[in-house]
Amino acid sequence: MKLRLHHFISLAVLLWAVNTFAVDVVTDYDHQANFERYHTYSWAKAEMPNQLWDDRVKEAVDKALQQKGWQKVPEGGDVSLVAVGITRDKPTLQTFYDAFPGWYWSGFANATTTVEHYREGTLVVDMFDSQNKKLIWRGSATDLLSDKPEKNEKKLESAVHKLFDHFPPRGKES
């Protein structure tokens, strides 16, 4: 079976899109912090571009931290949390080739390039030691956003799960 050029290009674009638009997670922490001494947390702030998402983000982070054995308290926790969301429109170029029949690999083809826009969202979660106000942990997750809120809720759950996958880090032993 002959693989046509446009099938090959479509497959390449699909593989690129899957790899390019997977959730990107980055975490970092204070290597001197002893995370074994932290057991409770309180929310200092959650600020998303759409206010409806403030509580959704808090709930997802609460679930992840409680699965790690941390307890949420209304105020005065060992750690103070701040979550900030950012969205932005980003362009990408899509090029399609229309080859003449029988000339697929000869180089004779018309190319059409269009600019497609997609929406990207980033969630940043910071943890501060409540006693000294020092940043002890930061995690960020970036992913392609959908036009459908229910799909974005699933992406949020997945991103937060991935953010806290290796939490708490092993800091300096006291």
Side-chain angles (χ1 to χ4, degrees):
M1 183 169 135
K2 237 184 189 180
L3 184 64
R4 294 187 173 175
L5 180 60
H6 66 278
H7 289 140
F8 176 76
I9 291 171
S10 296
L11 179 61
V13 168
L14 177 64
L15 291 174
W16 171 81
V18 167
N19 289 327
T20 301
F21 298 124
V23 64
D24 181 29
V25 170
V26 177
T27 61
D28 196 6
Y29 65 98
D30 178 353
H31 294 271
Q32 302 303 312
N34 179 2
F35 282 84
E36 291 180 13
R37 72 179 194 90
Y38 302 118
H39 303 286
T40 61
Y41 69 95
S42 302
W43 280 98
K45 178 172 81 167
E47 189 174 301
M48 303 303 120
N50 176 341
Q51 200 173 32
L52 294 172
W53 284 84
D54 292 359
D55 287 337
R56 293 173 188 163
V57 167
K58 284 182 179 180
E59 288 172 16
V61 172
D62 288 345
K63 181 179 174 184
L65 287 175
Q66 289 165 9
Q67 287 176 344
K68 300 292 184 171
W70 285 39
Q71 182 181 356
K72 178 182 171 182
V73 294
E75 58 185 45
D78 301 327
V79 171
S80 298
L81 298 183
V82 174
V84 178
I86 305 158
T87 59
R88 61 184 160 256
D89 290 322
K90 297 191 82 174
T92 185
L93 299 176
Q94 299 288 335
T95 302
F96 297 95
Y97 297 91
D98 299 321
F100 297 113
W103 296 83
Y104 293 113
W105 300 102
S106 67
F108 294 104
N110 293 324
T112 304
T113 301
T114 58
V115 177
E116 300 284 330
H117 290 272
Y118 62 93
R119 195 150 182 79
E120 181 180 81
T122 300
L123 172 65
V124 178
V125 179
D126 287 337
M127 293 184 167
F128 295 89
D129 181 302
S130 295
Q131 294 295 318
N132 62 21
K133 311 294 187 231
K134 186 175 178 184
L135 179 66
I136 58 169
W137 186 90
R138 171 173 283 173
S140 67
T142 301
D143 201 356
L144 180 69
L145 296 177
S146 171
D147 292 334
K148 298 180 178 166
E150 56 277 358
K151 283 188 178 182
N152 289 331
E153 285 184 54
K154 289 182 191 275
K155 287 177 180 250
L156 171 65
E157 290 172 17
S158 175
V160 169
H161 176 75
K162 195 171 176 183
L163 263 179
F164 291 97
D165 194 29
H166 299 289
F167 184 87
R170 295 184 183 217
K172 180 180 178 181
E173 300 293 327
S174 295

